[in-house]
Each structure stands twice: as C-alpha cells, then as structure tokens.
Amino acid sequence: MMELTNAVTKTFRMDDEAWRRHANPWSVWTRFAAIPLMLLAIWSRAWIGWWCLAPIAAVVVWLFLNPSAFPPVEPRSWAARGIYGERVWAHDKSSVPPDHRAVLRVLVVLGLAGFGLVTWGLIALEFWPTLFGATVVVMAQLWRIDRFGWLWERAEEQSAA
C-alpha cells in the first residue's frame, strides 16, 4: 500500500508546495465536480460513440493538472485541513491511530463498493446503480477527508505540545 502512495505522490510531483496547492478548497471541490463530468463523459458513448474519448480525456487532463492549478493555502478550511491530514497520512501511516485506520479501511471498502456500482451502471448504461454508486463514492470520500482533517488537528496539537 505504501508503494502505491509513493507512486501516486511521485506521479503528481507532490512536494510541499504541491500539497499546499492541492489543499486549496477550489482544488478539492473542483475534483468533486469532476465526478459527474466523468460519468457523463463515459455515458456519452451511447450518444457520440468513440468521440466520448475527447471529454473523458479532458476530465483526465483536468484531474492531472488540478493539484497544481490553484494557489497554495494554509489549513484553515475544512477541505484544506483534510488534505493536510492526508499529507500526514501519506508521509507516516503509523501516525494514524488504530481506530482511525479501521475507519479508513471501511471507507476504502465503501468507496470500492460504490466504484463497483458505478462501473456496472456505466457498462450497462443503468442510471440508478451509477447514481447510487457515485453517491457512495462521494460520501466515503467526504468522510475520509473529515477523518484526515481530524488527523491534521491531532498532529498540530501534538507538535504544539
């Protein structure tokens, strides 16, 4: 798991400045906004065939550029604290208390289940599994960000003590 985290960090060139930009609430919320856009882009294969690859590519490019598209921020907002907490987790998973690790594992399972429903819904062009799966993915991600925000606050308290 740590190898995957390191690979993602290297792919997106996540140095200190990149994390601070990634924590910008505009970055966080526009990544969430990309979810329905990606679903629509994939679904559009039913209407425009292989041309659906153009909007899919546009969303993928945006998601790749997103972490560096906004100015850096300090961890004041809920979203920023969550991303700063994710950074703590990415650098030192042992700093996450066992009960939070358990919740994070549950959230990964929920997210994967939601992603499975999204995948099924998009393959079959079934609206309700796609919508329900996307809702589960978003809710799991929001809860994950909230947990990471708590982790950031805990790390800040410990560094101040």
Side-chain angles (χ1 to χ4, degrees), residues 1-158:
M1 183 68 150
M2 190 61 160
E3 296 80 23
L4 177 61
T5 302
N6 290 338
V8 169
T9 299
K10 286 179 186 174
T11 299
F12 287 95
R13 302 175 304 277
M14 295 301 287
D15 59 11
D16 288 340
E17 179 74 4
W19 275 105
R20 292 180 63 234
R21 290 173 170 274
H22 182 52
N24 187 308
W26 280 98
S27 176
V28 173
W29 298 119
T30 56
R31 283 193 310 277
F32 275 103
I35 294 170
L37 294 175
M38 180 61 87
L39 297 178
L40 184 61
I42 294 169
W43 197 288
S44 73
R45 79 183 193 281
W47 310 306
I48 59 176
W50 286 105
W51 287 103
C52 72
L53 295 177
I56 291 170
V59 174
V60 168
V61 167
W62 168 247
L63 290 173
F64 186 77
L65 295 175
N66 180 288
S68 60
F70 299 97
V73 296
E74 295 302 318
R76 291 188 185 101
S77 72
W78 175 86
R81 287 191 309 273
I83 301 305
Y84 271 71
E86 182 180 14
R87 179 181 178 207
V88 169
W89 172 80
H91 285 91
D92 182 15
K93 290 186 179 37
S94 67
S95 67
V96 180
D99 57 327
H100 279 266
R101 276 186 252 153
V103 171
L104 289 170
R105 281 192 290 274
V106 168
L107 295 175
V108 167
V109 170
L110 280 173
L112 288 172
F115 186 77
L117 281 169
V118 167
T119 302
W120 168 49
L122 289 173
I123 290 170
L125 293 177
E126 292 286 338
F127 179 76
W128 291 111
T130 304
L131 179 64
F132 183 69
T135 302
V136 170
V137 167
V138 168
M139 295 306 292
Q141 186 63 12
L142 288 170
W143 192 0
R144 186 172 171 267
I145 290 171
D146 190 63
R147 281 291 173 151
F148 283 143
W150 180 91
L151 178 63
W152 171 254
E153 291 166 1
R154 182 175 179 267
E156 284 294 288
E157 288 171 5
Q158 288 177 343

